[in-house]
Amino acid sequence: MEKARRKEREFNLRRADILDAAVKIFAAKGFHNATVAEIAASSGFAIGTLYQFFAGKEQLYSALLTEKLTAMYAAIRAAVGGASDIVGKIEQLVDSQFRFVEENAEFCGIFVRGDYLSLSEGSAELRAGIRRDYARHVAFIAEVLRTGIRAGVLREMDPTTMATALTGIVNSYASQWIALAETESLRRKTSSALAIFLEGVRR
Amino acid sequence: MEKARRKEREFNLRRADILDAAVKIFAAKGFHNATVAEIAASSGFAIGTLYQFFAGKEQLYSALLTEKLTAMYAAIRAAVGGASDIVGKIEQLVDSQFRFVEENAEFCGIFVRGDYLSLSEGSAELRAGIRRDYARHVAFIAEVLRTGIRAGVLREMDPTTMATALTGIVNSYASQWIALAETESLRRKTSSALAIFLEGVRR
Amino acid sequence: MEKARRKEREFNLRRADILDAAVKIFAAKGFHNATVAEIAASSGFAIGTLYQFFAGKEQLYSALLTEKLTAMYAAIRAAVGGASDIVGKIEQLVDSQFRFVEENAEFCGIFVRGDYLSLSEGSAELRAGIRRDYARHVAFIAEVLRTGIRAGVLREMDPTTMATALTGIVNSYASQWIALAETESLRRKTSSALAIFLEGVRR
Amino acid sequence: MEKARRKEREFNLRRADILDAAVKIFAAKGFHNATVAEIAASSGFAIGTLYQFFAGKEQLYSALLTEKLTAMYAAIRAAVGGASDIVGKIEQLVDSQFRFVEENAEFCGIFVRGDYLSLSEGSAELRAGIRRDYARHVAFIAEVLRTGIRAGVLREMDPTTMATALTGIVNSYASQWIALAETESLRRKTSSALAIFLEGVRR
DNA sequence: GATGAATGAGGCTTCATTCAT
DNA sequence: TATGAATGAAGCCTCATTCAT
């Protein structure tokens, strides 16, 4: 059936419209201060319509976080996979994350704003899922770094600790960029972040 | 009047009791899921009594954040001031922050949990204040680092960017420690963080 | 036109299908907890289609009650009309009602469940109609009994009161049977009900 | 503490006020068409206040039914206990039930209206409880009648069936009285009901 | 000063009904 | 004619705040 196809495509488009509207509101006001009515109005649908796409406010929020983060992690892995040498991989790590932040500034604002997890106690599931995915991401980075250590390019050091430092630097640059609503490209900072991580700041 | 003194001292003690109870609740459930009734019960006061110490829930939360952060920044400055050379200052920067996190794990959990800013739109004031203080903190660190650059110890590089990287590393270590509820002292990680920041990870 | 005939017949068949599906749902969950979507799904029609047969949920419910009850009253009258003597008529009264309950257990469950009248204030009409029909039914029974009194078979007593007692006994037997989901035939109880009504329980 | 006493008494008074207001509304409009706001307004409290006395709308309704029915069953048992001979006991059974109906016409209207059980599927508990209590009541009546059979006063017959018939007659009289909003005392009908139950209608 | 019961605005969600396809 | 996605009014409930005791 051709019809079913089109239906599904339209469904996904509308769903994406809602998510787009929701990101803006959630990023601007936080989970609790955003109202379903507001998101509905902003997405151009009636309140009831949202409930045909998402089972509730929390599920909408949850879908937002989960899907975007999944995409981000995937993009980063793809970028890293495209580089051949260690340093290139680390550079891609930083650069692809910066690219994602630039392209999803509003979404990332949720994290800088800080309320990405202020949900009812019920949804420990989402919290756990996000944390698990983050842990996996750090583990992935650690694995990349471990290769560098084995290759003798990086210092002998716990790779997870190294990965923690790297994500810290990257997140901090990104947070600054978002918080200050800087217009200059964040990606220009890639080399700076990379340099500090690789060479340190001591002369 | 001696009486007025005692009154004030008692007032401050009670106020601190409330804040202590509030930290635990806010850290455990987030701003919106914590109820005033809960905080009152946990602090041993009646609901109405809380309103004699704080004008409202947001103000209580605000006081909590502001005062703790002020103390933290002050502690860091004091620690840095106690060191004479650049590297020692940077070490104190890291170490004193780690110490604060260790001693205020619950409070810092608020930040890792992420909802430190999920307030009503009205309190943009608090948000702005926290951001301003953070910016000042970064500026302070940048100033320390600038001295290091001038002294030829650190690389020629934008000191604010350097400071951003440093706070990123420190926060990332701290977040990991809190999120994983690690028991081992966070301060043991000081040298590791310092090494990465100063020397980088490249062999 | 032959076509119009077939159309009408089809219309009535579909209508009956919907009513059949509706009885089950209403009986199981009550008027308010049953949803139109549920009835539509269960009857195999689309939601919108239901509205071509019934003007609304209440009207559907109303039609259900009215038509079934009308059929029941008619069946009872027919049965009573088939008997020649008073006692035979009363026996038919009881027996035909029991038969209807057995054959329409789900429908009667609506009454035992109790929400046959929990409608919006608007539909006082239906309420009134059902009550009127019930009053007529009681009046009909009273008339039958009056004949018995005149014939000297029954005690001198207000026939309406007698009729009230009889319907009470019958309804009570039926309710028990439905509530306990008994498998044994309810009609076996006809003689028992009749005996109590006619002879009483005193030895 | 004298204070706690008074508090509790006041609490119960207010609670009773709410129940009184609720009976009227529920009886007039049914469970689903009655709104919490309406009950609150009618009882002179704010909406939120109701929730300090009852956990929710269903619990309020549930308390209403449970408490009233418990009182009714208790009153009936007390009345029956006060009679010495079988016939006197049966008479008390009928009379005390009629008295309760007269004194609680509004409440009993809930049953005549019929929606006493149209609750969400969740509260099967209440439904089960009411049915259990009713079964116990019938069993109690059956026990009384069994004594009459043993004493040779009543016919040899299944006492539960007899009890079913008796409750049917009584309920039917009561329903008529409520439905027709008759002003004449229902208790005058006690002897009529008793006569039919004991002697039947056959001359 | 301390208390905590009362308040009621505001949020999330449901579902009967409509109407464009 | 049949469909079922969209609609939005209306209801239940929460909880920060007040104020009479």
Side-chain angles (χ1 to χ4, degrees):
Chain A
M1 265 237 250
E2 196 47 34
K3 207 174 160 188
R5 272 298 160 73
R6 189 169 56 241
K7 276 257 167 122
E8 198 187 326
R9 211 180 322 143
E10 277 221 358
F11 181 91
N12 287 328
L13 282 176
R14 291 171 202 279
R15 193 175 181 280
D17 283 349
I18 294 171
L19 287 174
D20 282 350
V23 180
K24 291 196 221 315
I25 313 262
F26 281 134
K29 325 179 68 164
F31 176 74
H32 279 98
N33 295 114
T35 69
V36 172
E38 204 175 0
I39 295 169
S42 159
S43 64
F45 291 98
I47 292 173
T49 306
L50 294 207
Y51 285 83
Q52 299 202 334
F53 293 87
F54 303 95
K57 190 190 181 187
E58 283 208 7
Q59 284 81 353
L60 166 55
Y61 191 64
S62 177
L64 197 64
L65 292 179
T66 306
E67 293 176 19
K68 283 273 187 183
L69 287 179
T70 300
M72 182 182 81
Y73 291 139
I76 292 173
R77 287 186 187 216
V80 170
S84 48
D85 65 321
I86 297 300
V87 172
K89 279 175 190 291
I90 299 176
E91 186 177 357
Q92 282 306 313
L93 217 44
V94 177
D95 190 61
S96 60
Q97 172 114 37
F98 281 175
R99 201 177 336 146
F100 182 85
V101 172
E102 279 187 352
E103 289 166 0
N104 298 276
E106 261 163 355
F107 172 70
C108 294
I110 289 178
F111 292 82
V112 173
R113 240 192 134 276
D115 64 353
Y116 60 103
L117 289 175
S118 55
L119 299 164
S120 76
E121 255 167 315
S123 68
E125 209 181 338
L126 172 61
R127 245 202 289 283
I130 289 181
R131 214 159 269 173
R132 179 170 21 80
D133 289 349
Y134 183 71
R136 277 184 193 154
H137 178 61
V138 172
F140 166 74
I141 296 176
E143 201 49 48
V144 170
L145 299 175
R146 192 191 311 277
T147 326
I149 297 169
R150 284 204 187 119
V153 177
L154 304 183
R155 221 187 277 286
E156 290 281 352
M157 199 182 222
D158 172 37
T160 299
T161 298
M162 269 169 141
T164 300
L166 180 54
T167 58
I169 294 172
V170 170
N171 289 339
S172 195
Y173 273 66
S175 295
Q176 281 288 325
W177 184 80
I178 291 172
L180 301 179
E182 291 189 37
T183 52
E184 192 195 346
S185 168
L186 174 59
R187 296 175 72 188
R188 288 208 190 157
K189 293 278 196 173
T190 299
S191 61
S192 155
L194 197 65
I196 294 183
F197 179 62
L198 289 176
E199 323 296 350
V201 301
R202 178 126 64 175
R203 174 175 287 194
Chain B
M1 266 240 246
E2 195 48 33
K3 207 174 164 186
R5 274 292 162 76
R6 190 168 58 237
K7 279 249 169 141
E8 199 189 325
R9 212 181 320 143
E10 274 219 2
F11 181 91
N12 286 328
L13 282 176
R14 289 171 200 274
R15 193 174 180 282
D17 283 347
I18 295 170
L19 287 174
D20 282 349
V23 180
K24 290 196 220 317
I25 313 261
F26 282 134
K29 323 180 67 166
F31 177 73
H32 278 97
N33 295 114
T35 68
V36 172
E38 206 173 0
I39 294 169
S42 160
S43 65
F45 292 97
I47 293 174
T49 308
L50 293 206
Y51 282 82
Q52 302 196 332
F53 292 88
F54 303 94
K57 190 190 181 188
E58 285 209 1
Q59 286 80 355
L60 165 55
Y61 191 64
S62 176
L64 196 64
L65 292 178
T66 306
E67 293 177 19
K68 282 271 186 183
L69 287 179
T70 300
M72 182 182 80
Y73 292 139
I76 291 172
R77 288 187 188 214
V80 171
S84 48
D85 64 321
I86 296 299
V87 172
K89 279 176 190 292
I90 299 176
E91 186 177 358
Q92 281 307 312
L93 217 44
V94 177
D95 191 61
S96 59
Q97 172 115 34
F98 281 176
R99 202 181 332 151
F100 181 86
V101 172
E102 280 188 351
E103 288 167 0
N104 298 275
E106 261 164 357
F107 172 71
C108 295
I110 290 178
F111 292 82
V112 175
R113 240 189 132 275
D115 64 355
Y116 59 103
L117 289 175
S118 52
L119 299 164
S120 75
E121 256 168 317
S123 68
E125 207 181 340
L126 172 60
R127 246 201 290 281
I130 288 180
R131 213 159 271 172
R132 180 172 16 84
D133 289 351
Y134 183 70
R136 277 184 192 152
H137 177 60
V138 172
F140 166 75
I141 296 175
E143 201 48 50
V144 171
L145 297 176
R146 191 190 313 276
T147 328
I149 296 169
R150 284 199 188 125
V153 177
L154 303 184
R155 219 186 279 286
E156 289 281 352
M157 197 182 224
D158 172 37
T160 300
T161 297
M162 268 170 145
T164 300
L166 180 55
T167 58
I169 294 172
V170 169
N171 289 340
S172 196
Y173 273 66
S175 294
Q176 281 286 327
W177 185 79
I178 291 173
L180 300 179
E182 292 189 36
T183 52
E184 192 195 345
S185 168
L186 173 60
R187 297 176 69 190
R188 287 207 190 158
K189 293 278 196 174
T190 299
S191 60
S192 156
L194 197 64
I196 292 182
F197 179 63
L198 289 177
E199 322 296 349
V201 301
R202 176 124 66 177
R203 177 177 283 193
Chain C
M1 266 239 249
E2 195 48 32
K3 207 172 162 188
R5 273 295 161 75
R6 189 168 59 238
K7 279 250 167 139
E8 199 188 326
R9 211 180 322 141
E10 275 218 1
F11 181 90
N12 285 329
L13 282 176
R14 289 170 200 277
R15 193 174 180 282
D17 282 348
I18 295 171
L19 287 174
D20 282 349
V23 181
K24 292 197 219 317
I25 313 261
F26 282 134
K29 324 180 67 166
F31 177 73
H32 278 97
N33 294 115
T35 68
V36 172
E38 206 174 358
I39 294 169
S42 160
S43 65
F45 291 97
I47 294 175
T49 307
L50 293 206
Y51 282 83
Q52 302 197 333
F53 292 88
F54 303 95
K57 190 190 181 187
E58 285 208 3
Q59 286 80 356
L60 166 55
Y61 192 64
S62 177
L64 196 64
L65 292 179
T66 306
E67 293 176 19
K68 282 272 186 183
L69 288 178
T70 300
M72 182 182 80
Y73 291 140
I76 292 173
R77 288 187 188 213
V80 170
S84 48
D85 66 321
I86 296 299
V87 172
K89 280 177 189 290
I90 299 177
E91 186 177 358
Q92 281 309 311
L93 217 43
V94 177
D95 191 60
S96 60
Q97 172 115 36
F98 281 176
R99 201 177 336 149
F100 181 84
V101 171
E102 280 188 353
E103 289 166 0
N104 298 275
E106 261 164 358
F107 172 71
C108 295
I110 290 178
F111 291 82
V112 174
R113 242 191 132 274
D115 62 355
Y116 60 103
L117 289 175
S118 51
L119 299 164
S120 76
E121 255 167 318
S123 67
E125 206 181 339
L126 172 60
R127 245 201 291 283
I130 289 181
R131 212 159 273 172
R132 180 172 15 84
D133 288 350
Y134 183 71
R136 277 183 192 154
H137 178 60
V138 173
F140 165 75
I141 297 174
E143 201 49 50
V144 170
L145 298 175
R146 191 189 313 277
T147 327
I149 297 169
R150 285 203 186 119
V153 178
L154 304 184
R155 219 185 279 287
E156 290 279 354
M157 199 182 222
D158 172 37
T160 299
T161 298
M162 269 171 145
T164 299
L166 180 54
T167 58
I169 293 172
V170 169
N171 289 340
S172 195
Y173 273 66
S175 294
Q176 282 286 325
W177 185 79
I178 291 173
L180 300 180
E182 291 190 36
T183 52
E184 193 195 345
S185 168
L186 174 59
R187 296 176 70 189
R188 289 209 190 156
K189 293 279 196 172
T190 299
S191 60
S192 155
L194 197 65
I196 293 183
F197 179 62
L198 289 177
E199 322 296 349
V201 301
R202 177 125 63 176
R203 176 177 285 195
Chain D
M1 265 239 247
E2 196 47 35
K3 207 175 162 186
R5 273 296 160 74
R6 189 169 58 239
K7 277 258 167 119
E8 197 186 329
R9 211 180 322 145
E10 278 221 357
F11 180 90
N12 287 328
L13 283 176
R14 290 171 202 279
R15 192 175 181 283
D17 283 348
I18 294 171
L19 286 174
D20 283 349
V23 179
K24 290 196 223 314
I25 314 263
F26 281 134
K29 324 180 66 164
F31 177 74
H32 279 98
N33 296 113
T35 69
V36 172
E38 204 175 359
I39 295 170
S42 160
S43 64
F45 291 98
I47 293 174
T49 306
L50 295 208
Y51 285 83
Q52 300 202 333
F53 293 87
F54 303 95
K57 190 190 181 188
E58 283 209 6
Q59 285 82 352
L60 166 55
Y61 191 64
S62 177
L64 197 63
L65 292 179
T66 306
E67 292 176 19
K68 283 273 187 184
L69 287 179
T70 300
M72 183 183 81
Y73 292 138
I76 291 173
R77 288 187 187 215
V80 170
S84 47
D85 65 321
I86 296 299
V87 172
K89 279 176 190 291
I90 299 176
E91 185 177 358
Q92 281 307 312
L93 217 43
V94 177
D95 190 62
S96 60
Q97 173 114 36
F98 281 174
R99 201 181 331 151
F100 181 86
V101 172
E102 279 188 351
E103 289 166 1
N104 298 276
E106 261 162 356
F107 172 70
C108 294
I110 289 178
F111 292 83
V112 174
R113 238 191 134 275
D115 65 354
Y116 58 105
L117 289 175
S118 55
L119 299 164
S120 78
E121 254 166 318
S123 68
E125 210 181 338
L126 172 60
R127 246 202 288 282
I130 289 180
R131 213 159 272 173
R132 180 171 19 81
D133 288 349
Y134 182 70
R136 278 184 191 154
H137 178 60
V138 171
F140 167 74
I141 296 175
E143 202 48 51
V144 171
L145 297 176
R146 192 192 311 277
T147 327
I149 296 169
R150 286 204 186 118
V153 177
L154 303 184
R155 220 187 276 287
E156 290 280 352
M157 198 183 224
D158 172 38
T160 299
T161 298
M162 269 169 140
T164 299
L166 179 55
T167 58
I169 294 172
V170 169
N171 288 340
S172 196
Y173 273 66
S175 295
Q176 282 286 327
W177 185 80
I178 291 173
L180 301 179
E182 292 189 36
T183 51
E184 192 194 346
S185 168
L186 174 59
R187 296 176 71 188
R188 288 209 189 156
K189 293 278 196 173
T190 299
S191 61
S192 155
L194 197 64
I196 293 181
F197 179 63
L198 289 177
E199 322 296 350
V201 300
R202 178 125 64 177
R203 176 176 284 190

